[in-house]
Amino acid sequence: MMQSYPSDIAFTPSVKAIQTRNGSRAAYSKVESGRGWQTKITPELVSFLSRLDMFYLGTANADGQPYIQYRGGPPGFLKVIDGQTLGFADFSGNRQYITVGNLSENPKAFIFLMDYARQSRVKIWGTAGFVEDDAELLEKLTDPAYQARVERAIVFTIEAWDGNCSDHIHQRFAQHDVADAIERLQRKISEQELELSNKQRSEPSTS
């Protein structure tokens, strides 16, 4: 199917027909003819990726049966390889290999990125494949400080991506962010308790 705009990867004729029927096609048409969706990695996307420690990866088999997999790792483990390519280390897990099996027969893939703390999300369409015999690439994508066994690299080529509205995103915080906030709060309480104790000792006795 010939695409006129990057967003046509998602806005198929049937999608556009439903948008028309529900009154949103005109607004999206203006977006298409204006800035539109992105096809290259921008500094804003790099910044977004650098702080995330999880995302969702969508694939489908040759029959079109979809599969969504949660991927987790150290912050920024979804890395930029070049201006249109992302990659990440594929850690050993439950050994079902559904994602790898799907990619072996259907390269179409989707990445759904959620920053729950900032209530923002990014959607990325493209193609993906797995690499098992490139030591240089695997080293580039591996974080030695993260305790996990790397089985392969998964490389994702971007065709289109777009930020999404923040409606209905429930705010959640990563454990390390909560721990840092609690530590700062406890430190502040200790400082105030010490300040109060010193003040009480310095005040003259009224007895």
Side-chain angles (χ1 to χ4, degrees), residues 57-60 103 106-111 124-128 156:
L57 176 65
T59 58
L103 292 177
N106 182 356
K108 292 184 178 181
F110 178 79
I111 291 177
I124 309 178
W125 285 261
T127 58
F156 188 101

Side-chain angles (χ1 to χ4, degrees), residues 11 14 16 24 33-34 41 50 55 75 95 125 131 153 168 172:
F11 294 165
S14 60
K16 291 182 179 182
S24 62
S33 59
I41 296 171
S50 69
F55 62 91
R95 300 175 67 84
W125 285 261
V131 180
H168 312 297
R172 294 182 171 89

Side-chain angles (χ1 to χ4, degrees), residues 22-84:
N22 287 279
S24 62
R25 175 91 288 266
Y28 283 117
S29 180
K30 289 180 180 178
V31 172
E32 291 167 349
S33 59
R35 179 188 67 84
W37 288 10
Q38 303 284 341
T39 58
K40 302 290 185 181
I41 296 171
T42 65
E44 291 78 16
L45 182 57
V46 172
S47 177
F48 191 91
L49 296 174
S50 69
R51 59 181 183 256
L52 294 189
D53 58 3
M54 57 76 64
F55 62 91
Y56 302 96
L57 176 65
T59 58
N61 62 23
D63 293 330
Q65 175 63 48
Y67 178 68
I68 302 293
Q69 188 174 47
Y70 171 94
R71 310 309 298 248
F77 78 103
L78 180 58
K79 300 182 184 297
V80 175
I81 296 176
D82 60 39
Q84 204 168 2

Side-chain angles (χ1 to χ4, degrees), residues 180-196:
D180 289 345
I182 291 175
E183 182 181 353
R184 289 194 299 271
L185 180 60
Q186 289 175 331
R187 188 164 55 245
K188 183 66 174 178
I189 291 173
S190 297
E191 291 171 355
Q192 291 178 339
E193 287 177 339
L194 179 60
E195 181 181 346
L196 179 60

